[in-house]
Amino acid sequence: MMRGMEIAPNIYCIPAGYVNMYLFADEAGWTLIDAGTPRKQNLIFDSLAELGQPPEALKRIIITHTDIDHVGSLAAIQARSGATVLASKETKPYLLSGKTPEHMPALMQTFINIFMKFKPVPEATIQLIADGDRLPYLGGLEVIRTFGHTLEHYSFYSPMTGVLFAGDALSTRNGRIQSSPKRVTADQDYATQSAIKLLEMAPATLACGHGPPMSNFSTKEIMDLFNQLRQEKN
């Protein structure tokens, strides 16, 4: 049985404990969005195998941000597949150093800095992407700068499928659409602006880093959060 769930044609959510990875196929081959916590690489390769694909079928890995729960298995997946890593210029230094950007409470951030580094990827594997780019996947995957949770966070939207890969700019924990929690947010004003920007796109499916993908939300749910965020912004 497929380890993930198909959330749209040829787009799969692969849960890796408390965080999600997303795997999809189109005419450009297979693409992964985010790479989970450390030692989760077999979830991806087993999923590909169940879909009749070898490891090298994975052509690229797109990164939303460099928290260890989103890039923990990146180096292992990249090394086995040979995939290109697509990331922003803000994210690249973290991918090369294996460090997580600072956005956690002080004591927790100190612990992370000392004990929770991830394995870097070779610089030659990284291809830079930027806000406003339209990547040639899923009919034109829009690159959207969504700073706030971290100051190098990006989200990705496919108008053709209606799927928004929101990373941690939004979440669907406990069945509710939420923005980045204040306690783990680098810049609250940025986070609010980013969440509003994403909600204004009116996606058909929210594919977040945390919480199950959602496509059955009501207009009221979106508007309630939108109005709450607008009030916080003002």
Side-chain angles (χ1 to χ4, degrees):
M1 180 180 293
M2 178 66 192
R3 292 171 186 270
M5 60 177 292
E6 191 172 25
I7 63 174
N10 296 316
I11 304 176
Y12 301 89
C13 174
I14 312 295
Y18 64 92
V19 66
N20 300 318
M21 301 178 280
Y22 292 93
L23 184 66
F24 65 81
D26 58 14
E27 62 277 2
W30 287 88
T31 300
L32 178 67
I33 296 185
D34 284 344
T37 53
R39 296 178 294 280
K40 297 297 185 183
Q41 60 268 25
N42 285 341
L43 282 175
I44 297 304
F45 296 122
D46 289 349
S47 296
L48 284 169
E50 290 164 6
L51 291 161
Q53 302 296 323
E56 56 271 21
L58 184 66
K59 299 303 182 185
R60 63 202 63 84
I61 307 165
I62 301 175
I63 301 301
T64 62
H65 66 297
T66 47
D67 275 347
I68 194 169
D69 57 343
H70 290 257
V71 294
S73 293
L74 175 61
I77 295 171
Q78 191 286 320
R80 186 174 175 189
S81 66
T84 299
V85 178
L86 276 61
S88 71
K89 66 178 182 180
E90 296 91 355
T91 289
K92 182 178 177 179
Y94 297 104
L95 295 177
L96 297 178
S97 68
K99 294 181 180 179
T100 294
E102 298 207 356
H103 67 102
M104 305 292 284
L107 185 60
M108 187 179 299
Q109 188 68 54
T110 299
F111 178 86
I112 290 170
N113 291 345
I114 297 172
F115 298 109
M116 297 184 68
K117 293 181 180 179
F118 56 90
K119 187 176 180 181
V121 294
E123 185 171 10
T125 68
I126 300 173
Q127 175 182 325
L128 292 181
I129 56 178
D131 182 47
D133 286 353
R134 284 181 68 96
L135 306 179
Y137 320 120
L138 296 182
L141 191 63
E142 298 178 0
V143 180
I144 309 160
R145 185 173 67 182
T146 47
F147 289 6
H149 176 70
T150 67
L151 297 180
E152 43 85 61
H153 191 289
Y154 280 73
S155 302
F156 304 90
Y157 180 53
S158 164
M160 184 182 77
T161 66
V163 177
L164 171 64
F165 301 99
D168 285 0
L170 296 171
S171 73
T172 56
R173 293 183 181 93
N174 303 316
R176 292 176 53 236
I177 303 170
Q178 305 172 64
S179 58
S180 177
K182 292 182 180 179
R183 69 184 182 279
V184 295
T185 296
D187 187 299
Q188 188 59 48
D189 287 340
Y190 273 159
T192 298
Q193 293 169 22
S194 293
I196 289 172
K197 183 192 304 185
L198 295 181
L199 293 172
E200 286 177 334
M201 293 179 171
T205 301
L206 282 174
C208 301
H210 301 279
M214 287 183 65
S215 56
N216 59 345
F217 48 83
S218 67
T219 302
K220 182 179 184 302
E221 287 178 275
I222 292 287
M223 290 307 301
D224 285 349
L225 178 57
F226 181 82
N227 291 330
Q228 174 192 326
L229 293 169
R230 289 297 295 266
Q231 289 175 2
E232 290 177 4
K233 181 181 177 184
N234 296 329

